[in-house]
Amino acid sequence: AIEFVFNGTKLQGAFVEWTFDRYFSADIISGYDLNNDGIFNASETQDVWENAFSYTENYYYFCFIRQGNRRTSPDKVSQFSVKQQNGIISYRFYVNLSTFEGRDLYFAVYDYTFFCDITYRKNDGVTFKYNTSSLKPSYQILENKDYPVYYNPIGPIDDTRIYYKWKPGLETYYPKEIAIKY
């Protein structure tokens, strides 16, 4: 799920929430909820950040931003939190988007290595936090056939490269982007 946050008519950022399957959730709960109270306190959250989340920096936090044909990813994220409900873990973190100009932006969350399957939550997967008197943002989720990503299905597990040009042996993926207009 993605929550886009505005200040007046300016897009400030997005809170990204990942909700995991039961298997990954069980690993995080058993490994990091050390007092077994079902709540991740500040120390446990920091431990999850350092040992089970920060490595995603190597994968661009699985977040990709596009304006026109320019693609980028966040250099860092902030406001990380972890929670569990009924044995299911969710991470939440903030991506700063305040440096992007213009009123069209494409935001995508996917694993370009194809180790993980990432989908947007139905119905409430995209929300906006904004002043209703000054703005009327909208979105569509589109499969982008114009800007494909290529991946190596038989490459080594530590291959974290993003391929934007096809080469023999690579497969094609069309990112599902959230097209934001405001």
mmCIF file of all heavy atoms in Angstrom, residues 3 10 12 15 23-24 27 33 41 49 66 71 73 75 82 84 89 96 98 109-110 122 137 159 161-162 180:
data_model
loop_
_atom_site.group_PDB
_atom_site.id
_atom_site.type_symbol
_atom_site.label_atom_id
_atom_site.label_comp_id
_atom_site.label_asym_id
_atom_site.label_seq_id
_atom_site.Cartn_x
_atom_site.Cartn_y
_atom_site.Cartn_z
ATOM 1 N N GLU A 3 0.731 5.527 0.556
ATOM 2 C CA GLU A 3 -0.006 6.727 0.936
ATOM 3 C C GLU A 3 0.824 7.931 0.503
ATOM 4 O O GLU A 3 1.911 8.166 1.036
ATOM 5 C CB GLU A 3 -0.249 6.790 2.439
ATOM 6 C CG GLU A 3 -0.966 8.053 2.858
ATOM 7 C CD GLU A 3 -1.069 8.206 4.366
ATOM 8 O OE1 GLU A 3 -0.127 7.813 5.087
ATOM 9 O OE2 GLU A 3 -2.098 8.743 4.819
ATOM 10 N N LYS A 10 1.837 20.712 -3.216
ATOM 11 C CA LYS A 10 3.147 20.104 -3.464
ATOM 12 C C LYS A 10 3.194 18.684 -2.906
ATOM 13 O O LYS A 10 2.878 18.450 -1.742
ATOM 14 C CB LYS A 10 4.231 20.964 -2.813
ATOM 15 C CG LYS A 10 5.618 20.423 -2.913
ATOM 16 C CD LYS A 10 6.240 20.727 -4.249
ATOM 17 C CE LYS A 10 7.708 20.355 -4.250
ATOM 18 N NZ LYS A 10 8.081 19.409 -5.241
ATOM 19 N N GLN A 12 4.904 15.811 -1.206
ATOM 20 C CA GLN A 12 6.030 15.754 -0.275
ATOM 21 C C GLN A 12 6.694 14.384 -0.252
ATOM 22 O O GLN A 12 7.904 14.290 -0.166
ATOM 23 C CB GLN A 12 5.565 16.107 1.145
ATOM 24 C CG GLN A 12 5.134 17.550 1.285
ATOM 25 C CD GLN A 12 6.262 18.508 0.977
ATOM 26 O OE1 GLN A 12 7.284 18.502 1.643
ATOM 27 N NE2 GLN A 12 6.086 19.317 -0.046
ATOM 28 N N PHE A 15 4.355 7.194 2.005
ATOM 29 C CA PHE A 15 4.549 6.113 2.968
ATOM 30 C C PHE A 15 4.277 4.814 2.234
ATOM 31 O O PHE A 15 3.207 4.634 1.649
ATOM 32 C CB PHE A 15 3.598 6.254 4.159
ATOM 33 C CG PHE A 15 4.037 7.289 5.145
ATOM 34 C CD1 PHE A 15 3.457 8.549 5.141
ATOM 35 C CD2 PHE A 15 5.035 7.012 6.075
ATOM 36 C CE1 PHE A 15 3.856 9.518 6.048
ATOM 37 C CE2 PHE A 15 5.440 7.978 6.984
ATOM 38 C CZ PHE A 15 4.849 9.228 6.967
ATOM 39 N N TYR A 23 5.072 -16.960 6.291
ATOM 40 C CA TYR A 23 6.382 -17.588 6.488
ATOM 41 C C TYR A 23 7.446 -16.556 6.839
ATOM 42 O O TYR A 23 8.180 -16.727 7.818
ATOM 43 C CB TYR A 23 6.770 -18.390 5.241
ATOM 44 C CG TYR A 23 5.745 -19.442 4.921
ATOM 45 C CD1 TYR A 23 4.849 -19.269 3.873
ATOM 46 C CD2 TYR A 23 5.620 -20.580 5.702
ATOM 47 C CE1 TYR A 23 3.877 -20.215 3.598
ATOM 48 C CE2 TYR A 23 4.649 -21.542 5.437
ATOM 49 C CZ TYR A 23 3.781 -21.351 4.385
ATOM 50 O OH TYR A 23 2.820 -22.285 4.123
ATOM 51 N N PHE A 24 7.525 -15.491 6.062
ATOM 52 C CA PHE A 24 8.477 -14.435 6.373
ATOM 53 C C PHE A 24 8.103 -13.781 7.703
ATOM 54 O O PHE A 24 8.967 -13.490 8.533
ATOM 55 C CB PHE A 24 8.526 -13.388 5.252
ATOM 56 C CG PHE A 24 9.555 -12.318 5.494
ATOM 57 C CD1 PHE A 24 10.891 -12.544 5.205
ATOM 58 C CD2 PHE A 24 9.186 -11.086 6.022
ATOM 59 C CE1 PHE A 24 11.839 -11.563 5.437
ATOM 60 C CE2 PHE A 24 10.129 -10.099 6.256
ATOM 61 C CZ PHE A 24 11.468 -10.330 5.963
ATOM 62 N N ASP A 27 9.350 -15.707 10.662
ATOM 63 C CA ASP A 27 10.789 -15.519 10.877
ATOM 64 C C ASP A 27 11.079 -14.217 11.612
ATOM 65 O O ASP A 27 11.882 -14.192 12.548
ATOM 66 C CB ASP A 27 11.535 -15.506 9.538
ATOM 67 C CG ASP A 27 11.767 -16.888 8.977
ATOM 68 O OD1 ASP A 27 11.578 -17.882 9.697
ATOM 69 O OD2 ASP A 27 12.149 -16.961 7.786
ATOM 70 N N ASP A 33 10.951 -10.160 17.907
ATOM 71 C CA ASP A 33 10.058 -9.801 19.022
ATOM 72 C C ASP A 33 10.555 -10.568 20.246
ATOM 73 O O ASP A 33 9.972 -11.560 20.668
ATOM 74 C CB ASP A 33 8.602 -10.154 18.692
ATOM 75 C CG ASP A 33 7.634 -9.744 19.792
ATOM 76 O OD1 ASP A 33 8.028 -8.953 20.679
ATOM 77 O OD2 ASP A 33 6.490 -10.226 19.776
ATOM 78 N N ASN A 41 8.950 -2.978 20.094
ATOM 79 C CA ASN A 41 9.348 -1.743 20.772
ATOM 80 C C ASN A 41 10.474 -1.076 19.985
ATOM 81 O O ASN A 41 10.909 -1.595 18.942
ATOM 82 C CB ASN A 41 9.727 -2.018 22.233
ATOM 83 C CG ASN A 41 10.943 -2.927 22.351
ATOM 84 O OD1 ASN A 41 11.851 -2.904 21.526
ATOM 85 N ND2 ASN A 41 10.957 -3.743 23.398
ATOM 86 N N TRP A 49 15.258 -3.071 11.543
ATOM 87 C CA TRP A 49 15.807 -2.126 10.562
ATOM 88 C C TRP A 49 17.219 -2.556 10.157
ATOM 89 O O TRP A 49 17.538 -2.644 8.971
ATOM 90 C CB TRP A 49 15.829 -0.716 11.138
ATOM 91 C CG TRP A 49 16.686 0.249 10.365
ATOM 92 C CD1 TRP A 49 17.998 0.562 10.596
ATOM 93 C CD2 TRP A 49 16.305 1.011 9.216
ATOM 94 N NE1 TRP A 49 18.437 1.478 9.672
ATOM 95 C CE2 TRP A 49 17.423 1.774 8.805
ATOM 96 C CE3 TRP A 49 15.119 1.135 8.497
ATOM 97 C CZ2 TRP A 49 17.395 2.625 7.717
ATOM 98 C CZ3 TRP A 49 15.098 1.996 7.407
ATOM 99 C CH2 TRP A 49 16.225 2.731 7.026
ATOM 100 N N ARG A 66 9.444 7.548 -11.733
ATOM 101 C CA ARG A 66 9.692 7.954 -13.110
ATOM 102 C C ARG A 66 8.925 9.228 -13.416
ATOM 103 O O ARG A 66 7.770 9.371 -13.047
ATOM 104 C CB ARG A 66 9.269 6.846 -14.078
ATOM 105 C CG ARG A 66 9.579 7.163 -15.535
ATOM 106 C CD ARG A 66 9.251 6.004 -16.447
ATOM 107 N NE ARG A 66 7.832 5.710 -16.490
ATOM 108 C CZ ARG A 66 6.925 6.399 -17.187
ATOM 109 N NH1 ARG A 66 7.293 7.452 -17.889
ATOM 110 N NH2 ARG A 66 5.656 6.047 -17.168
ATOM 111 N N ARG A 71 14.239 7.713 -14.845
ATOM 112 C CA ARG A 71 13.933 6.834 -13.710
ATOM 113 C C ARG A 71 14.942 7.063 -12.604
ATOM 114 O O ARG A 71 16.112 7.294 -12.857
ATOM 115 C CB ARG A 71 14.036 5.365 -14.118
ATOM 116 C CG ARG A 71 12.984 4.900 -15.027
ATOM 117 C CD ARG A 71 13.174 3.424 -15.253
ATOM 118 N NE ARG A 71 12.294 2.953 -16.292
ATOM 119 C CZ ARG A 71 12.308 1.734 -16.759
ATOM 120 N NH1 ARG A 71 13.142 0.848 -16.289
ATOM 121 N NH2 ARG A 71 11.478 1.366 -17.711
ATOM 122 N N SER A 73 15.519 6.149 -8.053
ATOM 123 C CA SER A 73 15.096 5.452 -6.839
ATOM 124 C C SER A 73 15.554 6.268 -5.643
ATOM 125 O O SER A 73 16.488 7.062 -5.757
ATOM 126 C CB SER A 73 15.726 4.060 -6.769
ATOM 127 O OG SER A 73 15.197 3.237 -7.770
ATOM 128 N N ASP A 75 17.519 7.477 -2.478
ATOM 129 C CA ASP A 75 18.844 7.224 -1.907
ATOM 130 C C ASP A 75 18.737 6.679 -0.493
ATOM 131 O O ASP A 75 19.605 5.955 -0.030
ATOM 132 C CB ASP A 75 19.668 8.512 -1.860
ATOM 133 C CG ASP A 75 20.019 9.018 -3.242
ATOM 134 O OD1 ASP A 75 20.155 8.198 -4.169
ATOM 135 O OD2 ASP A 75 20.133 10.247 -3.397
ATOM 136 N N VAL A 82 7.735 -1.280 12.165
ATOM 137 C CA VAL A 82 7.328 -2.663 11.935
ATOM 138 C C VAL A 82 6.212 -2.986 12.925
ATOM 139 O O VAL A 82 6.246 -2.554 14.080
ATOM 140 C CB VAL A 82 8.518 -3.642 12.079
ATOM 141 C CG1 VAL A 82 9.167 -3.565 13.449
ATOM 142 C CG2 VAL A 82 8.103 -5.073 11.779
ATOM 143 N N GLN A 84 2.983 -6.161 13.813
ATOM 144 C CA GLN A 84 2.410 -7.458 13.472
ATOM 145 C C GLN A 84 0.973 -7.495 13.946
ATOM 146 O O GLN A 84 0.623 -6.912 14.956
ATOM 147 C CB GLN A 84 3.234 -8.608 14.035
ATOM 148 C CG GLN A 84 3.084 -8.896 15.498
ATOM 149 C CD GLN A 84 1.950 -9.873 15.822
ATOM 150 O OE1 GLN A 84 1.461 -10.621 14.982
ATOM 151 N NE2 GLN A 84 1.520 -9.841 17.057
ATOM 152 N N ILE A 89 3.360 -9.687 9.495
ATOM 153 C CA ILE A 89 4.242 -8.530 9.669
ATOM 154 C C ILE A 89 4.000 -7.505 8.565
ATOM 155 O O ILE A 89 3.801 -7.867 7.406
ATOM 156 C CB ILE A 89 5.719 -8.983 9.606
ATOM 157 C CG1 ILE A 89 6.082 -9.777 10.851
ATOM 158 C CG2 ILE A 89 6.681 -7.827 9.418
ATOM 159 C CD1 ILE A 89 6.141 -8.966 12.104
ATOM 160 N N ASN A 96 10.947 10.301 0.457
ATOM 161 C CA ASN A 96 10.851 11.737 0.200
ATOM 162 C C ASN A 96 10.706 11.964 -1.304
ATOM 163 O O ASN A 96 11.543 11.520 -2.086
ATOM 164 C CB ASN A 96 12.097 12.440 0.725
ATOM 165 C CG ASN A 96 12.037 13.940 0.552
ATOM 166 O OD1 ASN A 96 11.117 14.490 -0.041
ATOM 167 N ND2 ASN A 96 13.048 14.614 1.083
ATOM 168 N N SER A 98 9.812 15.261 -2.373
ATOM 169 C CA SER A 98 9.687 16.718 -2.452
ATOM 170 C C SER A 98 10.577 17.359 -3.508
ATOM 171 O O SER A 98 10.346 18.500 -3.896
ATOM 172 C CB SER A 98 9.961 17.354 -1.086
ATOM 173 O OG SER A 98 11.306 17.130 -0.700
ATOM 174 N N VAL A 109 6.528 -0.085 -7.131
ATOM 175 C CA VAL A 109 7.195 -0.946 -6.161
ATOM 176 C C VAL A 109 7.220 -2.342 -6.775
ATOM 177 O O VAL A 109 6.166 -2.915 -7.061
ATOM 178 C CB VAL A 109 6.452 -0.967 -4.811
ATOM 179 C CG1 VAL A 109 7.178 -1.886 -3.829
ATOM 180 C CG2 VAL A 109 6.322 0.438 -4.244
ATOM 181 N N TYR A 110 8.424 -2.837 -7.034
ATOM 182 C CA TYR A 110 8.561 -4.190 -7.578
ATOM 183 C C TYR A 110 9.968 -4.701 -7.313
ATOM 184 O O TYR A 110 10.886 -3.939 -7.043
ATOM 185 C CB TYR A 110 8.241 -4.237 -9.077
ATOM 186 C CG TYR A 110 9.069 -3.328 -9.954
ATOM 187 C CD1 TYR A 110 10.288 -3.742 -10.486
ATOM 188 C CD2 TYR A 110 8.627 -2.047 -10.260
ATOM 189 C CE1 TYR A 110 11.036 -2.910 -11.295
ATOM 190 C CE2 TYR A 110 9.370 -1.209 -11.073
ATOM 191 C CZ TYR A 110 10.577 -1.646 -11.591
ATOM 192 O OH TYR A 110 11.309 -0.816 -12.384
ATOM 193 N N LYS A 122 -5.575 -4.408 -3.138
ATOM 194 C CA LYS A 122 -6.797 -4.001 -3.841
ATOM 195 C C LYS A 122 -7.613 -3.057 -2.981
ATOM 196 O O LYS A 122 -7.548 -3.090 -1.759
ATOM 197 C CB LYS A 122 -7.627 -5.232 -4.201
ATOM 198 C CG LYS A 122 -6.939 -6.096 -5.220
ATOM 199 C CD LYS A 122 -7.784 -7.274 -5.610
ATOM 200 C CE LYS A 122 -6.929 -8.192 -6.385
ATOM 201 N NZ LYS A 122 -7.223 -8.733 -7.545
ATOM 202 N N PRO A 137 -6.050 15.065 -6.206
ATOM 203 C CA PRO A 137 -5.171 14.094 -6.855
ATOM 204 C C PRO A 137 -5.946 12.862 -7.326
ATOM 205 O O PRO A 137 -6.995 12.518 -6.779
ATOM 206 C CB PRO A 137 -4.177 13.729 -5.758
ATOM 207 C CG PRO A 137 -4.908 13.979 -4.490
ATOM 208 C CD PRO A 137 -5.851 15.113 -4.767
ATOM 209 N N ASP A 159 23.361 -10.903 -8.033
ATOM 210 C CA ASP A 159 23.292 -9.959 -9.146
ATOM 211 C C ASP A 159 22.179 -8.956 -8.864
ATOM 212 O O ASP A 159 20.999 -9.254 -8.995
ATOM 213 C CB ASP A 159 23.017 -10.699 -10.456
ATOM 214 C CG ASP A 159 22.949 -9.765 -11.660
ATOM 215 O OD1 ASP A 159 23.193 -8.552 -11.500
ATOM 216 O OD2 ASP A 159 22.649 -10.255 -12.758
ATOM 217 N N ARG A 161 22.010 -5.915 -10.335
ATOM 218 C CA ARG A 161 21.938 -4.917 -11.413
ATOM 219 C C ARG A 161 20.509 -4.780 -11.928
ATOM 220 O O ARG A 161 19.751 -5.737 -11.974
ATOM 221 C CB ARG A 161 22.822 -5.332 -12.582
ATOM 222 C CG ARG A 161 24.303 -5.248 -12.279
ATOM 223 C CD ARG A 161 25.090 -5.743 -13.439
ATOM 224 N NE ARG A 161 24.911 -7.214 -13.479
ATOM 225 C CZ ARG A 161 25.370 -8.001 -14.424
ATOM 226 N NH1 ARG A 161 26.030 -7.492 -15.436
ATOM 227 N NH2 ARG A 161 25.186 -9.294 -14.369
ATOM 228 N N ILE A 162 20.186 -3.574 -12.359
ATOM 229 C CA ILE A 162 18.936 -3.330 -13.074
ATOM 230 C C ILE A 162 19.301 -3.235 -14.545
ATOM 231 O O ILE A 162 20.198 -2.486 -14.923
ATOM 232 C CB ILE A 162 18.262 -2.025 -12.628
ATOM 233 C CG1 ILE A 162 17.887 -2.086 -11.158
ATOM 234 C CG2 ILE A 162 17.037 -1.743 -13.479
ATOM 235 C CD1 ILE A 162 17.257 -0.817 -10.642
ATOM 236 N N ILE A 180 0.344 9.148 -10.960
ATOM 237 C CA ILE A 180 -0.287 10.149 -10.112
ATOM 238 C C ILE A 180 -0.448 11.442 -10.889
ATOM 239 O O ILE A 180 0.492 11.910 -11.526
ATOM 240 C CB ILE A 180 0.566 10.440 -8.862
ATOM 241 C CG1 ILE A 180 0.899 9.152 -8.138
ATOM 242 C CG2 ILE A 180 -0.114 11.427 -7.944
ATOM 243 C CD1 ILE A 180 2.040 9.317 -7.181
#
